[in-house]
Amino acid sequence: MNRSFIHSTENLPWFEDNPVKVQTNETLSEDVILSAGTAAVLQLLFFSILGGLVSIFGIASNIINIIVFIKQGAYKECGTVNLLGLAVSDLCVVITMLYVSCFYTLVIVNPSNLPWQPFAFVFVTGGWPHLMFAQITRTITAYVAFERCMCVMFPFKVKTILSPNRSIGIIVSIFVCFAISFSPAYVMQQLKYSHDPVVNRSRLVLVLMPDWLYVVDVMWYINSLAFNLGSVTIVLICTLITASRVQLSKTWRSTMATGNEQGDTVKSKSLENNDKKTKSETSNQNTMSSSKMQKEKKLITMIISISVIFLFCYISDLSFLLMYTINPDIRTFGKYHNFALVMHSMTFFMETLNSSINIIVYYNMSSKYKRVFREWMGLSQEGDS
């Protein structure tokens, strides 16, 4: 699985029709960490097989999520707006992963009769968009965690601070900002029609413009180091704060309910024959209090579940980021390119997994989501809470 790339001696404008002048045609050297054969098998596993299967499920699940959130009245509640934005971003993640999965077999085989170099084509048209949407998903997830934390800490002020319209503006801004931040990749790494030394014929290959390495490194450290670590940190801190506050509220309500129940029991003994109505109302209040505590327990479980899934799925990404920071040769066009591509394939798969399984959490831990979903599907409501 030999790959080549071309260094350009000049950065031609986008409207330039003349062929790109090249300085050298270079072929990547052998990776001493991981052989090409082993890397090909692992990439085929994560990119094409596992990634393809999970992305198909993810496309269906996120389309369902989008429909259910719209039916819930997505523009009426800030939380639903955020989850709708997350579902849209997740859908883009899994679609780009399916695209990469479909083409990556050609990358492994690298047939010489194609008019474009497979790796270059998939890298530019599928790899960068997937990375961009995965970063958008991470950022929106951090914003969702922040919004939930605000709801717990300032329950009476959060609606004036974070309205549905403001959330829409924030989510749209996230999409736009990352589209701009990833645009230098398409300026410095372009598909151009030139001679490919691997197959000894002209076809579309990846052309690396002058200073491409510096620009891509800046992009990497801004988008990966700053935003990745920042998103994970925000999710972790906000989840801990939210869970602790909800737990305190649950304990307080439980204590108050127990005290009220004891006081009402004493009162009911002295007025047993004349106050049956008050006793019934007390029982109803205790039932409502128990129902609220049950919902809070589900909320805690849902928050912790989403947080654990998010952090687990991005362990490989953070590990790759750490390795790249320590040794910059672990890159797609670096000395250890086979190992880097395997890490990329594992990261792509885990990002796709994270963007595909939220429907399971929503359905099992959100009674409102479950009710709307079952009504939409025309299923029986028996047993729904």
Side-chain angles (χ1 to χ4, degrees), residues 172-182:
V172 170
S173 298
I174 290 173
F175 275 88
V176 173
C177 288
F178 278 105
I180 295 173
S181 69
F182 274 83

Side-chain angles (χ1 to χ4, degrees), residues 57 61 64-65 68-69 72 83 148 298 302 305-306 309 356-385:
F57 172 78
S61 66
I64 292 173
N65 287 340
V68 171
F69 291 140
Q72 285 184 7
L83 293 179
R148 288 172 180 169
K298 287 184 177 181
M302 181 175 174
S305 298
I306 293 174
I309 291 172
S356 301
I357 60 177
N358 283 338
I359 188 174
I360 300 175
V361 178
Y362 298 150
Y363 185 84
N364 288 292
M365 299 182 185
S366 173
S367 57
K368 185 177 181 181
Y369 180 97
K370 185 176 183 179
R371 175 179 57 80
V372 174
F373 173 81
R374 292 179 70 86
E375 288 177 354
W376 173 53
M377 297 296 294
L379 300 175
S380 172
Q381 297 299 308
E382 184 179 354
D384 289 356
S385 57

Side-chain angles (χ1 to χ4, degrees), residues 235-304:
V235 169
L236 183 60
I237 293 176
C238 289
T239 300
L240 291 175
I241 294 174
T242 303
S244 62
R245 287 299 183 101
V246 173
Q247 184 63 40
L248 288 174
S249 176
K250 176 186 174 183
T251 304
W252 179 82
R253 288 180 184 274
S254 179
T255 303
M256 293 297 293
T258 302
N260 291 336
E261 184 178 358
Q262 292 175 350
D264 291 334
T265 300
V266 174
K267 184 184 296 183
S268 64
K269 287 181 179 179
S270 62
L271 302 172
E272 184 175 357
N273 296 326
N274 300 320
D275 205 13
K276 292 183 179 181
K277 184 177 179 181
T278 302
K279 186 175 181 180
S280 177
E281 292 176 352
T282 301
S283 178
N284 291 335
Q285 291 176 355
N286 290 337
T287 301
M288 292 175 63
S289 178
S290 176
S291 177
K292 287 183 179 180
M293 287 188 292
Q294 189 66 24
K295 289 182 179 180
E296 288 172 351
K297 183 179 179 180
K298 287 184 177 181
L299 177 61
I300 295 173
T301 306
M302 181 175 174
I303 292 172
I304 293 175

Side-chain angles (χ1 to χ4, degrees), residues 127-155:
W128 280 116
H130 177 88
L131 291 172
M132 180 186 71
F133 287 121
Q135 186 57 67
I136 292 174
T137 286
R138 281 189 284 266
T139 306
I140 294 179
T141 301
Y143 175 62
V144 169
F146 173 75
E147 185 266 337
R148 288 172 180 169
C149 183
M150 294 287 288
C151 287
V152 173
M153 295 183 65
F154 310 103

Side-chain angles (χ1 to χ4, degrees), residues 11-309:
N11 192 348
L12 300 178
W14 287 101
F15 55 83
E16 185 73 53
D17 294 327
N18 295 327
V20 178
K21 296 180 181 179
V22 296
Q23 180 180 14
T24 56
N25 289 330
E26 299 185 9
T27 301
L28 295 176
S29 60
E30 188 67 25
D31 188 338
V32 297
I33 295 181
L34 201 62
S35 67
T38 303
V41 172
L42 292 175
Q43 289 173 71
L44 189 64
L45 174 65
F46 287 113
F47 273 135
S48 297
I49 301 175
L50 296 178
L53 292 174
V54 173
S55 60
I56 292 173
F57 172 78
I59 290 173
S61 66
N62 282 293
I63 290 175
I64 292 173
N65 287 340
I66 291 171
I67 294 173
V68 171
F69 291 140
I70 291 175
K71 286 182 174 293
Q72 285 184 7
Y75 304 106
K76 297 179 181 179
E77 297 180 2
C78 185
T80 311
V81 168
N82 297 338
L83 293 179
L84 177 60
L86 181 62
V88 172
S89 176
D90 284 340
L91 180 61
C92 294
V93 170
V94 295
I95 287 176
T96 52
M97 183 63 197
L98 182 61
Y99 175 85
V100 172
S101 299
C102 292
F103 277 94
Y104 213 81
T105 303
L106 294 177
V107 175
I108 302 297
V109 178
N110 193 16
S112 59
N113 60 339
L114 288 178
W116 33 267
Q117 205 277 336
F119 176 80
F121 187 80
V122 174
F123 180 76
V124 173
T125 62
W128 280 116
H130 177 88
L131 291 172
M132 180 186 71
F133 287 121
Q135 186 57 67
I136 292 174
T137 286
R138 281 189 284 266
T139 306
I140 294 179
T141 301
Y143 175 62
V144 169
F146 173 75
E147 185 266 337
R148 288 172 180 169
C149 183
M150 294 287 288
C151 287
V152 173
M153 295 183 65
F154 310 103
F156 303 107
K157 296 181 179 180
V158 67
K159 289 186 178 181
T160 60
I161 300 174
L162 296 175
S163 64
N165 288 334
R166 287 179 181 175
S167 287
I168 293 173
I170 290 173
I171 291 174
V172 170
S173 298
I174 290 173
F175 275 88
V176 173
C177 288
F178 278 105
I180 295 173
S181 69
F182 274 83
S183 60
Y186 290 94
V187 176
M188 305 307 294
Q189 300 178 348
Q190 303 176 17
L191 289 174
K192 296 287 185 179
Y193 195 75
S194 186
H195 179 73
D196 186 351
V198 174
V199 296
N200 195 27
R201 62 186 292 265
S202 295
R203 60 176 178 173
L204 281 176
V205 296
L206 185 64
V207 177
L208 307 178
M209 297 300 172
D211 299 325
W212 71 274
L213 185 59
Y214 172 77
V215 174
V216 171
D217 277 348
V218 171
M219 282 181 54
W220 176 274
Y221 285 112
I222 292 177
N223 290 307
S224 296
L225 186 61
F227 284 102
N228 280 11
L229 292 180
S231 298
V232 171
T233 302
I234 291 173
V235 169
L236 183 60
I237 293 176
C238 289
T239 300
L240 291 175
I241 294 174
T242 303
S244 62
R245 287 299 183 101
V246 173
Q247 184 63 40
L248 288 174
S249 176
K250 176 186 174 183
T251 304
W252 179 82
R253 288 180 184 274
S254 179
T255 303
M256 293 297 293
T258 302
N260 291 336
E261 184 178 358
Q262 292 175 350
D264 291 334
T265 300
V266 174
K267 184 184 296 183
S268 64
K269 287 181 179 179
S270 62
L271 302 172
E272 184 175 357
N273 296 326
N274 300 320
D275 205 13
K276 292 183 179 181
K277 184 177 179 181
T278 302
K279 186 175 181 180
S280 177
E281 292 176 352
T282 301
S283 178
N284 291 335
Q285 291 176 355
N286 290 337
T287 301
M288 292 175 63
S289 178
S290 176
S291 177
K292 287 183 179 180
M293 287 188 292
Q294 189 66 24
K295 289 182 179 180
E296 288 172 351
K297 183 179 179 180
K298 287 184 177 181
L299 177 61
I300 295 173
T301 306
M302 181 175 174
I303 292 172
I304 293 175
S305 298
I306 293 174
S307 176
V308 169
I309 291 172

